[in-house]
Amino acid sequence: MFCILAAVILGSAILCVTTKRIMRAATFLLFVLLGVAGLYFLLDYTFLGAAQISIYAGGITMMYVFAIQLVSKRTLQGLVERMKGSRVAFGGIVSLVGLATVSLVLLKNQFINKACSVADAEVPMETIGMALLGSEKYQYVLPFEFISVFLLACIIGGIVVARKEKENKED
């Protein structure tokens, strides 16, 4: 089952980043997220699997709505998008530089060795919950709230941009 889910995740991820149509990319991303949820269920992390489906699959549905609202009809039909070879080469070079940077940081700071030594110790769920929802130093409730306000501002901004474009077309 793991091999099937891994194949679905990898295949959908590759198709997601290589397709030129935004709706197909969103659909392939949905398959990636559902595959990750399947891995959570396979590991008996039912809460994480259910959260993955409800939060991220719902997010993909919202992405469909904004893709339809914010992108022009010609782009959705795939008539405008063309990729130049120079842009693909530049993207590949930037990706390789990023991979080299991450690899050097991991090797220099010995994160892999530290992660392997800590992997044997089991962290209780209460500790994870307090780290995620606590408001003290090195806890994440404040950044989580900032991100939620930022995403709300992005949604409102997207709606405003879509409305202004419609009003300009009517004039």
Side-chain angles (χ1 to χ4, degrees):
M1 193 64 187
F2 173 78
C3 292
I4 293 170
L5 286 172
V8 167
I9 291 170
L10 287 175
S12 296
I14 290 170
L15 289 171
C16 178
V17 297
T18 57
T19 186
K20 294 181 181 183
R21 296 177 184 249
I22 192 167
M23 298 305 284
R24 287 184 185 170
T27 303
F28 290 132
L29 183 59
L30 177 64
F31 290 145
V32 169
L33 296 174
L34 290 176
V36 171
L39 288 178
Y40 287 144
F41 286 125
L42 191 65
L43 294 170
D44 287 332
Y45 293 144
T46 54
F47 174 74
L48 285 177
Q52 177 82 11
I53 290 173
S54 64
I55 294 170
Y56 291 114
I60 294 300
T61 305
M62 288 304 296
M63 192 168 71
Y64 275 128
V65 171
F66 283 109
I68 291 169
Q69 285 183 347
L70 297 176
V71 179
S72 69
K73 189 175 182 179
R74 292 189 64 185
T75 304
L76 281 175
Q77 294 171 350
L79 301 174
V80 175
E81 298 177 16
R82 299 285 181 250
M83 295 185 63
K84 296 180 181 177
S86 61
R87 293 182 80 182
V88 172
F90 180 71
I93 291 170
V94 169
S95 298
L96 289 175
V97 168
L99 177 67
T101 304
V102 169
S103 300
L104 286 174
V105 167
L106 286 175
L107 292 174
K108 181 181 177 190
N109 294 318
Q110 299 177 353
F111 285 136
I112 297 172
N113 294 337
K114 292 176 185 176
C116 290
S117 65
V118 174
D120 295 334
E122 186 173 329
V123 179
M125 191 58 80
E126 183 178 339
T127 304
I128 296 171
M130 288 302 296
L132 289 175
L133 298 175
S135 60
E136 296 176 12
K137 189 174 184 180
Y138 302 119
Q139 295 179 341
Y140 295 102
V141 77
L142 190 59
F144 177 77
E145 292 299 325
F146 281 138
I147 289 171
S148 64
V149 170
F150 176 71
L151 289 174
L152 179 63
C154 289
I155 290 170
I156 292 170
I159 291 170
V160 167
V161 167
R163 287 192 182 263
K164 282 185 180 179
E165 191 174 294
K166 247 184 197 179
E167 290 173 3
N168 290 338
K169 286 182 181 177
E170 290 175 1
D171 291 340

